[in-house]
Amino acid sequence: RSLDIVGDRWSILILRAAFRGLRRFDQLRRALDIPKAVLADRLRKLVEAGVLARHRYQDHPPRHEYRLTAMGRELSPILVALMQWGDRWLSENGPPTVLVHEPCGTEVRMALHCTASGEDFPPTAITSRPGPGAAALRPPTEST
């Protein structure tokens, strides 16, 4: 279901632009060089999913901007990780953009972090177990 919402190139690029402060249709269209119909469709889907919220900023003519919701803001680590993966594996001349922690200017590094031990750990240290929603995913059993 997550990929249905953000699993295409344009949706990811729209979200990246939203994190950079672009909110208005024309700003997004120009920055992304995206066809109007595609942009309108992706914005509609992101709003319907609750990732963006549509806010009117002008009445005559009616114009709207698109703001990240709490749900949308929580996509930040995913976009940062994807960006840093691309910088590491696909950028021959180094990263075109470096993300920094604004208050101190230190470069941001994505990591997996254990809240209990306080340690960072590699992806190979992850395992899984059924969560509270697992029962809802199982098909009902027939009783005899």
Side-chain angles (χ1 to χ4, degrees):
R1 290 175 34 197
S2 302
L3 288 177
D4 288 340
I5 298 170
V6 296
D8 71 272
R9 175 182 191 262
W10 287 120
S11 295
I12 294 290
L13 292 174
I14 290 166
L15 290 169
R16 180 187 69 178
F19 277 106
R20 292 180 174 173
L22 301 181
R23 294 180 171 182
R24 297 182 179 175
F25 189 93
D26 288 336
Q27 291 175 324
L28 292 164
R29 189 180 55 74
R30 280 192 307 274
L32 301 175
D33 195 26
I34 181 175
K36 287 182 181 182
V38 174
L39 178 56
D41 178 66
R42 295 315 187 281
L43 288 171
R44 180 186 55 77
K45 287 180 180 178
L46 291 168
V47 168
E48 285 175 359
V51 173
L52 294 175
R54 188 175 169 206
H55 295 273
R56 184 176 282 198
Y57 70 88
Q58 178 178 309
D59 288 327
H60 302 290
R63 299 208 188 274
H64 298 86
E65 63 182 17
Y66 300 86
R67 299 179 191 166
L68 289 161
T69 62
M71 180 187 200
R73 287 188 298 275
E74 286 189 18
L75 288 168
S76 177
I78 295 163
L79 296 177
V80 170
L82 187 60
M83 176 186 157
Q84 290 180 348
W85 176 86
D87 290 345
R88 177 181 168 108
W89 296 102
L90 306 173
S91 183
E92 295 177 13
N93 299 315
T97 303
V98 176
L99 301 177
V100 296
H101 180 223
E102 188 173 1
C104 70
T106 303
E107 189 172 340
V108 172
R109 177 183 60 86
M110 291 298 298
L112 298 168
H113 184 79
C114 177
T115 57
S117 70
E119 297 176 356
D120 291 350
F121 59 88
T124 54
I126 298 174
T127 189
S128 63
R129 65 175 181 229
L137 298 175
R138 287 188 218 121
T141 58
E142 293 184 34
S143 54
T144 52

